Amino acid sequence: MDLIRVTEEWQRAGVHYVRTEGMVKDFNLTLEGEFEADTPGDIYVLALDENLPVSTCRLKIHDDTGKIERVATIPQYRSKGIGSLVITEAEKWLKELGAKKVVINSRIAAVRFYEKLGYKADYNKKSGSGLFECVETQKELER
């Protein structure tokens, strides 16, 4: 499994592939809804299994807080530890960029995944509804 800090257009195409397969198709989202908040300056981590893009996430940083967003893995690669590898690489990159903590807005159904990675859920900070009811999770990065 190769983890890439996306810098090239072909890599960004891999990110779009994973998000289309893993979110738009799997959760019946609109293409516009999945991608409307993306900007040209966004940064991503992408996991490749040989030449196949299989998992990704988007990173943002504001002051000393990093945010991991749009975490997606194509269905046939879920529950194989790949998402954990992507999150760990994202944390490393955010730390290099000056983040002291990371926030992930997690679907309620995925909270245990993030808790296993050291995140703590704050159930006072909920958003969304239905399948996409979310809770904020946070993790302090080691110095």
Side-chain angles (χ1 to χ4, degrees):
M1 194 64 51
D2 292 319
L3 297 172
I4 298 171
R5 294 179 179 186
V6 172
T7 59
E8 304 288 332
E9 188 59 30
W10 67 268
Q11 297 164 340
R12 188 177 288 265
V15 167
H16 290 183
Y17 171 80
V18 171
R19 288 175 55 192
T20 300
E21 291 292 313
M23 299 302 291
V24 174
K25 284 176 68 176
D26 199 44
F27 290 102
N28 199 29
L29 302 176
T30 67
L31 198 58
E32 180 182 15
E34 177 60 22
F35 290 98
E36 68 186 345
D38 285 18
T39 66
D42 287 342
I43 58 175
Y44 302 89
V45 171
L46 176 66
L48 293 176
D49 182 10
E50 296 186 13
N51 201 33
L52 179 67
V54 297
S55 188
T56 190
C57 68
R58 180 174 69 199
L59 290 71
K60 296 192 183 243
I61 189 164
H62 182 69
D63 296 327
D64 65 353
T65 301
K67 191 163 187 184
I68 298 174
E69 304 172 317
R70 296 300 198 216
V71 178
T73 301
I74 61 175
Q76 59 268 41
Y77 280 83
R78 292 181 187 152
S79 300
K80 297 180 186 244
I82 299 165
S84 298
L85 294 173
V86 168
I87 296 296
T88 300
E89 183 64 24
E91 290 171 353
K92 288 178 190 173
W93 197 0
L94 287 167
K95 186 175 178 180
E96 290 171 17
L97 295 171
K100 292 186 170 66
K101 75 174 182 178
V102 177
V103 173
I104 301 174
N105 199 29
S106 169
R107 290 184 310 111
I108 297 290
V111 168
R112 289 195 35 79
F113 167 77
Y114 296 109
E115 287 176 335
K116 289 178 184 176
L117 295 172
Y119 287 81
K120 299 211 180 332
D122 183 348
Y123 286 93
N124 293 316
K125 295 182 178 177
K126 286 185 175 181
S127 61
S129 63
L131 186 59
F132 284 91
E133 181 179 14
C134 295
V135 62
E136 184 178 289
T137 66
Q138 292 186 21
K139 178 180 181 179
E140 297 292 326
L141 296 177
E142 294 180 16
R143 296 197 170 130

